[in-house]
Amino acid sequence: MSGAVILYGRASFIRQQRLQALAQGAEGQVVELAYEDLSGPALPDVIDALAATGVTQITVVPCGVPADASISAWLPGALSAHVADRVQVAIAPGIETFLDLPGAVQAALAAPALDIATVPPSMGKPGWSEVPVHRRQVFFCMGARCAHRQGLPLYQHLRQLMKAERSLGSGPDRVMCARSSCLFPCNQGPLMVVQPDGIWYGGLTRDLLARIVHEHLVGGRPVSDAIIHHLPAGAPSPLTGGGGGD
């Protein structure tokens, strides 16, 4: 076995376009799927698995419309650092380069459309007008580099751990958990921030998340050996140099 292809993109798009059929029906060609989001498998894991079977050359085909700008911005360097000399990896042009998008627009205009007059007006549930009682907020980084390091599967694992702790779901000790765009520092990802404690955790794993939930979110004791930055409440911001004024 020498070469393989990885179709890489958002799971919803790959499933909608039935690209799994390319992997399942390929003859004489190894074709695997890797996802930017959802539960994976993540691209580095698929590359490692192929390399372990003796694959020496891999072509990654970005599958998404519109293409993620990070594909050309940072992914080549990240993959180069990950694979080192173990396997040769190339990134093909994104599939949107070869699509007939004007034709797709015309087809969309010719298809039945949804008349919003048939849909009851709604801006959400009545209770969504107020912020619920809570003690802390957790912001879990979903920036491109943290996503590359399995950010979303880890976030989903965090949510399961939190659901198992009833005190974190309601009442004064509730913790509100949300996905976030880039939180920095990317090289120490996957990352999450706990506020108002001002604590950045990095290098997240499933085991570390369990410690953070049980020791910090439930027990109130930050996991000191996993903290990569701590900005105590009320401290001057390092971005303003102490808030010296204009």
Side-chain angles (χ1 to χ4, degrees):
M1 184 181 295
S2 60
V5 173
I6 299 176
L7 307 180
Y8 178 57
R10 294 188 177 277
S12 58
F13 181 85
I14 287 178
R15 290 167 182 162
Q16 181 185 46
Q17 300 300 317
R18 298 185 294 278
L19 297 183
Q20 298 98 321
L22 293 177
Q24 297 167 355
E27 296 183 5
Q29 175 72 70
V30 176
V31 181
E32 298 288 350
L33 303 176
Y35 298 132
E36 298 177 57
D37 54 7
L38 295 177
S39 58
L43 183 56
D45 292 340
V46 176
I47 289 174
D48 290 346
L50 288 171
T53 65
V55 169
T56 58
Q57 295 181 326
I58 297 173
T59 300
V60 177
V61 182
C63 299
V65 179
D68 189 334
S70 66
I71 297 296
S72 58
W74 68 268
L75 184 60
L79 290 182
S80 179
H82 179 76
V83 303
D85 297 326
R86 295 180 296 124
V87 61
Q88 181 180 347
V89 177
I91 302 177
I95 62 170
E96 71 173 5
T97 307
F98 309 101
L99 298 179
D100 178 17
L101 293 183
V105 170
Q106 293 301 319
L109 292 173
L114 173 64
D115 183 355
I116 64 169
T118 64
V119 180
S122 172
M123 290 296 290
K125 299 179 180 179
W128 292 354
S129 298
E130 299 178 358
V131 177
V133 174
H134 65 284
R135 183 178 299 276
R136 294 185 176 89
Q137 307 93 33
V138 168
F139 300 97
F140 201 102
C141 183
M142 284 298 154
R145 291 162 181 80
C146 283
H148 183 69
R149 296 184 174 101
Q150 296 189 320
L152 193 48
L154 287 171
Y155 173 78
Q156 292 172 329
H157 182 62
L158 171 66
R159 297 295 292 137
Q160 291 300 316
L161 291 171
M162 291 177 60
K163 288 179 181 178
E165 300 289 345
R166 296 185 62 182
S167 64
L168 301 183
S170 62
D173 292 328
R174 177 176 180 171
V175 175
M176 298 180 65
C177 190
R179 290 173 288 181
S180 168
S181 58
C182 186
L183 292 171
F184 296 102
C186 304
N187 289 343
Q188 298 195 53
L191 300 156
M192 61 181 277
V193 176
V194 180
Q195 296 289 12
D197 302 354
I199 289 177
W200 268 251
Y201 287 114
L204 298 174
T205 63
R206 293 170 68 94
D207 290 342
L208 179 53
L209 287 174
R211 289 187 60 199
I212 293 171
V213 168
H214 297 139
E215 297 176 28
H216 187 172
L217 302 185
V218 175
R221 302 179 305 277
V223 182
S224 58
D225 55 297
I227 295 174
I228 62 172
H229 181 70
H230 186 192
L231 183 66
S237 169
L239 300 180
T240 62
D246 296 330

